[in-house]
Amino acid sequence: MARVGSERVRRRPTRAGVVLDPEMIIDTALRLIEAPGGNALTVRRLGVELGADPSAIYRYFRDLDALLLAIADRLIGDSLAGFEAGPDWLVSLRELGERVHRSMLKHPRLVQLRSTRFTAGPNELRADDIGIGLLLSAGFAGSDAVRHFRDFIDTALALATMDAAELTPSQQQTEDRALAAAYASLPAEEYPHLAAVRGDLPQVTASAFPGVLDKLIDALSRAAPGAGPRPADGDAERGPAPAIGS
Amino acid sequence: MARVGSERVRRRPTRAGVVLDPEMIIDTALRLIEAPGGNALTVRRLGVELGADPSAIYRYFRDLDALLLAIADRLIGDSLAGFEAGPDWLVSLRELGERVHRSMLKHPRLVQLRSTRFTAGPNELRADDIGIGLLLSAGFAGSDAVRHFRDFIDTALALATMDAAELTPSQQQTEDRALAAAYASLPAEEYPHLAAVRGDLPQVTASAFPGVLDKLIDALSRAAPGAGPRPADGDAERGPAPAIGS
DNA sequence: TCCTTATGTCAACGCATTGACCTAAGCATA
DNA sequence: TATGCTTAGGTCAATGCGTTGACATAAGGA
């Protein structure tokens, strides 16, 4: 007995009588992150909430970042729930990207706290497996599939981080609004082109993700073997032509 | 006298006799960031190096992030030195993106420390002005130029942040190597597609930026008004046709 | 000369992290 | 069942961190 999975464990109850394990630490941490009033997750508070010395957490996670990574991986797993790859690889790939991006944005503070973008957890691996499967089904060679999917998923994660900064409730928020307003009065001598599009500048505070996603999907659809008309490399089309235009 | 630019200032020498100003704080901070032995920049060390109480820095920058942003903006400015927009907007845009990305990667620790991606400083504004000018010259309408350039520059910055994490010398570094190796032995039942491309997985540790840049440039070249042959909106070509394929 | 106030300093807060410690859990053996 | 060993894991104290509020003082205008 005293096993978790197939591993022997030797858990001692804390002073408060709680028996710790990684899952309950993640649960509690998620609860703290959700808590109102910004940045509620700290190692010390987590210790209090768990009924343990804060340093006990370091027996389970190398540091705070490792814990955050574990949480993020769980979120990715949640976002994958119910995902089914459809007949059109472009549509499925887009949905995968949207799900991953959205799952990160559900907890902006988590994303912002985290310094490593790549969780390396089982759920992200699963997302990778699905995505690469989609590209393989589109006819990409293995090495191209890996490369293209890495481009795709890294962009989704990196932009999620950037968007999270925008969503995090802080003084940053109001500053950004002020900034967008200040755009309207840029000195035309120094920034002639910005001044020329002055009226369109407020939209820069919106997320770049949708637009980037469109561009990536567009580029991938054309890069796919046997894709639509492209004069540059005029091979005879080979391989099954995927549905065009999603 | 006692003016900086057109602003009155009232600088008192520190206990050590130094008279502070924002530029010298940035200089000193940059020197600390460069210093060997990781994470040499701390507010307290900066205080020591400046010959001032650490808290004096907060009279010049709202917090550490604001200081980092100011440094990053200077780096962007440096990276823009000598940049000339050439005749081909696609080539120029690509170079602009590469320069900004590269300037951030020159100081990975800075990038990683920073929580806000957008510096909102004069140099980033100049980069924005140049980039939007390029898109306008390509024939994009103002609102499209703003939107597309935001997509472009945000991606460059966001991926720079991700790449910086890879470059930062830390235990992360070695872990990533180990990870790439571990890829080779993924359980094929759980991750069939990953297993199928197992030999190509080590390349995931490389930066996604070049590939993403290619895709964005490709998508933009096709989105440009009067762009090359695309059956969808088969207008007669108008405006100068940009060189394809760079 | 006085007044205002920008700016330097100090002490304190809660933070993540770590090394030393200690103690009980689980094993082996009899 | 009892005994003893090893060590995972809980605890404690201390470090350096960013940040802040209270305070002090000199710069510069009137």
Side-chain angles (χ1 to χ4, degrees):
Chain A
M1 45 185 87
R3 282 159 178 271
V4 170
S6 63
E7 280 177 68
R8 293 170 192 79
V9 290
R10 221 162 73 182
R11 301 275 159 67
R12 219 192 318 182
T14 67
R15 176 174 288 278
V18 195
V19 176
L20 301 175
D21 76 88
E23 287 307 311
M24 78 174 291
I25 294 179
I26 293 178
D27 290 338
T28 310
L30 253 177
R31 195 150 38 78
L32 281 179
I33 286 183
E34 306 264 21
N39 282 17
L41 175 60
T42 70
V43 176
R44 295 168 112 94
R45 260 199 285 248
L46 184 52
V48 171
E49 204 71 11
L50 285 167
D53 188 274
S55 64
I57 291 153
Y58 292 88
R59 301 290 182 198
Y60 297 87
F61 299 94
R62 199 175 46 69
D63 56 16
L64 178 58
D65 204 50
L67 169 59
L68 296 171
L69 245 30
I71 299 174
D73 195 67
R74 173 186 285 192
L75 292 182
I76 291 180
D78 292 349
S79 82
L80 252 38
F83 177 78
E84 290 287 340
D88 185 334
W89 67 275
L90 277 174
V91 170
S92 296
L93 189 62
R94 171 186 284 273
E95 184 180 345
L96 183 60
E98 279 166 350
R99 279 177 180 245
V100 168
H101 182 264
R102 206 182 319 127
S103 74
M104 291 298 103
L105 248 45
K106 224 178 275 178
H107 301 272
R109 271 194 291 275
L110 165 73
V111 180
Q112 232 189 336
L113 235 39
R114 194 158 56 107
S115 79
T116 312
R117 260 23 99 177
F118 181 48
T119 73
N123 288 311
E124 182 161 342
L125 282 182
R126 201 154 78 77
D128 294 348
D129 190 70
I130 295 173
I132 286 178
L134 288 171
L135 291 184
L136 289 175
S137 82
F140 284 102
S143 122
D144 290 334
V146 169
R147 204 159 40 78
H148 287 316
F149 183 70
R150 188 229 20 224
D151 294 350
F152 184 80
I153 199 69
D154 277 11
T155 303
L157 290 172
L159 286 180
T161 305
M162 182 173 276
D163 291 343
E166 202 74 15
L167 284 178
T168 288
S170 68
Q171 68 278 33
Q172 184 66 30
Q173 191 87 322
T174 47
E175 276 180 23
D176 271 5
R177 308 295 163 197
L179 181 75
Y183 273 154
S185 57
L186 284 173
E189 323 82 59
E190 274 192 273
Y191 308 108
H193 304 117
L194 284 181
V197 296
R198 149 178 311 155
D200 299 306
L201 286 176
Q203 62 172 308
V204 295
T205 50
S207 169
F209 183 66
V212 174
L213 188 58
D214 285 344
K215 294 179 182 63
L216 290 184
I217 291 285
D218 183 46
L220 283 176
S221 80
R222 296 212 306 142
R230 219 255 166 131
D233 42 36
D235 303 326
E237 305 194 7
R238 64 171 177 277
I244 290 185
S246 73
Chain B
M1 46 184 87
R3 280 159 180 268
V4 170
S6 63
E7 281 177 65
R8 294 171 190 77
V9 290
R10 219 161 73 183
R11 300 274 158 66
R12 220 193 321 185
T14 68
R15 174 174 290 278
V18 194
V19 176
L20 302 175
D21 76 87
E23 286 307 311
M24 76 174 290
I25 294 178
I26 293 178
D27 290 337
T28 309
L30 254 176
R31 193 150 40 77
L32 281 179
I33 286 182
E34 306 263 21
N39 280 17
L41 176 61
T42 70
V43 175
R44 293 167 115 95
R45 259 199 285 248
L46 185 52
V48 171
E49 204 72 13
L50 285 167
D53 188 275
S55 64
I57 291 153
Y58 292 88
R59 300 291 180 195
Y60 296 85
F61 299 95
R62 201 176 46 69
D63 55 16
L64 178 59
D65 205 51
L67 169 59
L68 296 170
L69 246 30
I71 299 173
D73 194 67
R74 172 185 286 191
L75 292 181
I76 291 179
D78 292 349
S79 81
L80 251 38
F83 176 79
E84 290 287 339
D88 185 333
W89 68 273
L90 277 174
V91 170
S92 296
L93 189 63
R94 170 185 285 273
E95 184 181 345
L96 183 60
E98 279 166 350
R99 279 177 179 245
V100 168
H101 182 263
R102 206 181 320 128
S103 73
M104 291 297 102
L105 247 46
K106 224 178 276 179
H107 301 272
R109 271 195 290 276
L110 165 73
V111 180
Q112 232 189 336
L113 235 41
R114 192 158 58 108
S115 79
T116 312
R117 258 27 96 177
F118 181 50
T119 73
N123 288 309
E124 182 161 341
L125 282 182
R126 201 153 78 79
D128 294 348
D129 190 69
I130 294 172
I132 286 179
L134 288 171
L135 292 184
L136 290 176
S137 80
F140 284 103
S143 123
D144 290 335
V146 169
R147 204 160 40 77
H148 287 316
F149 183 72
R150 187 226 26 221
D151 294 350
F152 183 80
I153 199 70
D154 277 10
T155 303
L157 289 171
L159 286 179
T161 305
M162 180 173 278
D163 292 343
E166 201 73 17
L167 284 178
T168 287
S170 68
Q171 68 280 34
Q172 184 66 31
Q173 191 88 321
T174 48
E175 276 181 23
D176 270 6
R177 310 292 164 198
L179 180 77
Y183 273 155
S185 57
L186 285 172
E189 323 82 58
E190 275 191 271
Y191 309 107
H193 304 117
L194 284 181
V197 296
R198 150 179 311 155
D200 300 306
L201 285 177
Q203 62 172 309
V204 295
T205 49
S207 168
F209 182 67
V212 174
L213 189 57
D214 284 344
K215 294 180 181 62
L216 290 184
I217 292 285
D218 184 48
L220 284 175
S221 80
R222 296 211 309 139
R230 219 263 168 124
D233 41 37
D235 304 327
E237 306 194 7
R238 66 169 175 278
I244 289 184
S246 70

